[in-house]
Amino acid sequence: MPTPSLASLPIRRLTLRDLAACADLSEDRGWPREEHKWGFLLTAGKGYGIDDPDGGLVSACVITEYGPQERPALAAIGMVLVAERHCRQGVGRRLMRHVVSAMGTTPITLHATPYGRPLYEELGFKVTGRAEMVSGRFTPGGTQPAVATRAATAEDLSAILRLDEQVFGTDRTHIVTRLPAFADQLRVAEEDGRIIGYAAAWPNMETHVVGPLIARDTSVAQALIASLAAHTDRPLRTDIDVRHTELLAWAKERGLASVGFNSVMTYGITELPGDWSRRFAPVTVAAG
């Protein structure tokens, strides 16, 4: 039997049954397997992929929708991968065109690496921001933020959801309600009995990724990061909006070094909804 051409291979929806194949694809491209993250994204969002007739996946990506289920207000694309043996043959372009078409009029966002950015620009995405990844062992020191933090409880959920929607700009209940199971830590910052910020730390290989990070101001964001660091022996990693220069400088003073930058890109909107001044870091760049 002749081998089908890549252009004729169907694009299909992925499910949790494809978790191992998605992790294999990550590994094929030199990424960590990230099964924990893949599982979260495939459960909370929609996966799309192309099967390789020889086994495994030719390509995959995940899209996470926000807002009303029947009419999403925003969608984020992430984990866009093409197997090494099929690179530079138009597979990623074809998969992205399919996903963008499937989203119709829904605005889209993504975090692009320097390698992926030219493809997204070709498809009509525009750079509207940047995020800097920092990573390392957090070292306490200096003046500690005078902000009270504690572990979140089930009773905090409604307040967290209200704050998150204000800051993110649209509802993401399906993400926030999964955080207690996905993350090793979920903490809130309080003032006069009112929640003024929250953050999670979830396991990714040898690190804890800080995200989401929602806070009233920089001092609250600092207090949340410091409190998460105090309850783990792993290095921290997070992706901070570069407009938060004070937080980035503070994080670097505490031992987190710059790893690289991603371009925040949008399609169908000129800027992300919500309040960027209180949105410090995403859950994961793959989910916007």
Side-chain angles (χ1 to χ4, degrees):
M1 293 289 291
T3 302
S5 70
L6 289 176
S8 68
L9 294 173
I11 296 170
R12 68 170 177 88
R13 284 282 300 275
L14 302 176
T15 71
L16 278 176
R17 291 190 298 273
D18 299 296
L19 180 58
C22 290
D24 289 344
L25 185 58
S26 290
E27 199 168 51
D28 174 76
R29 293 315 308 266
W31 290 18
R33 291 182 63 82
E34 299 188 305
E35 289 170 322
H36 186 60
K37 182 166 75 172
W38 272 111
F40 177 76
L41 294 168
L42 288 171
T43 302
K46 299 175 181 176
Y48 291 88
I50 300 172
D51 290 312
D52 190 327
D54 295 327
L57 290 169
V58 170
S59 183
C61 72
V62 175
I63 189 155
T64 309
E65 296 170 298
Y66 300 106
Q69 188 172 358
E70 65 280 2
R71 191 178 177 83
L74 182 69
I77 297 175
M79 308 301 279
V80 181
L81 286 167
V82 177
E84 180 68 35
R85 61 193 176 279
H86 297 300
C87 276
R88 294 170 293 279
Q89 298 179 56
V91 180
R93 181 178 295 102
R94 179 177 166 231
L95 181 60
M96 282 294 299
R97 287 190 187 281
H98 176 89
V99 171
V100 170
S101 175
M103 292 315 302
T105 59
T106 301
I108 304 171
T109 184
L110 56 80
H111 282 65
T113 64
Y115 177 81
R117 178 175 160 177
L119 167 61
Y120 304 133
E121 289 179 327
E122 179 186 324
L123 295 172
F125 284 80
K126 306 293 185 185
V127 174
T128 55
R130 280 207 313 165
E132 183 173 2
M133 181 191 292
V134 292
S135 181
R137 290 202 172 273
F138 183 88
T139 304
T143 303
Q144 296 301 309
V147 178
T149 64
R150 59 172 173 80
T153 68
E155 287 72 29
D156 297 320
L157 185 58
S158 60
I160 290 173
L161 285 168
R162 284 195 301 272
L163 175 62
D164 188 82
E165 185 169 357
Q166 289 173 12
V167 175
F168 191 73
T170 189
D171 179 70
R172 53 176 180 175
T173 298
H174 63 307
I175 293 292
V176 176
T177 54
R178 285 180 166 88
L179 289 176
F182 176 63
D184 286 344
Q185 295 187 62
L186 181 61
R187 299 186 68 82
V188 296
E190 268 187 324
E191 183 179 80
D192 300 326
R194 183 171 61 92
I195 291 176
I196 55 174
Y198 85 96
W202 50 273
N204 186 262
M205 310 310 288
E206 76 282 357
T207 69
H208 266 131
V209 177
V210 176
L213 176 55
I214 300 289
R216 182 185 63 191
D217 52 37
T218 299
S219 65
V220 175
Q222 291 171 348
L224 285 165
I225 292 175
S227 66
L228 292 170
H231 292 83
T232 179
D233 57 1
R234 298 189 187 193
L236 297 184
R237 179 163 64 83
T238 190
D239 297 86
I240 298 174
D241 186 316
V242 297
R243 290 173 289 189
H244 292 295
T245 54
E246 186 180 351
L247 183 65
L248 279 165
W250 174 85
K252 292 170 185 177
E253 290 170 1
R254 297 294 179 274
L256 276 63
S258 180
V259 176
F261 293 87
N262 283 323
S263 298
V264 180
M265 306 186 78
T266 56
Y267 181 94
I269 47 173
T270 55
E271 60 181 345
L272 291 175
D275 180 3
W276 75 265
S277 70
R278 292 185 286 166
R279 185 178 59 236
F280 287 83
V283 179
T284 164
V285 295

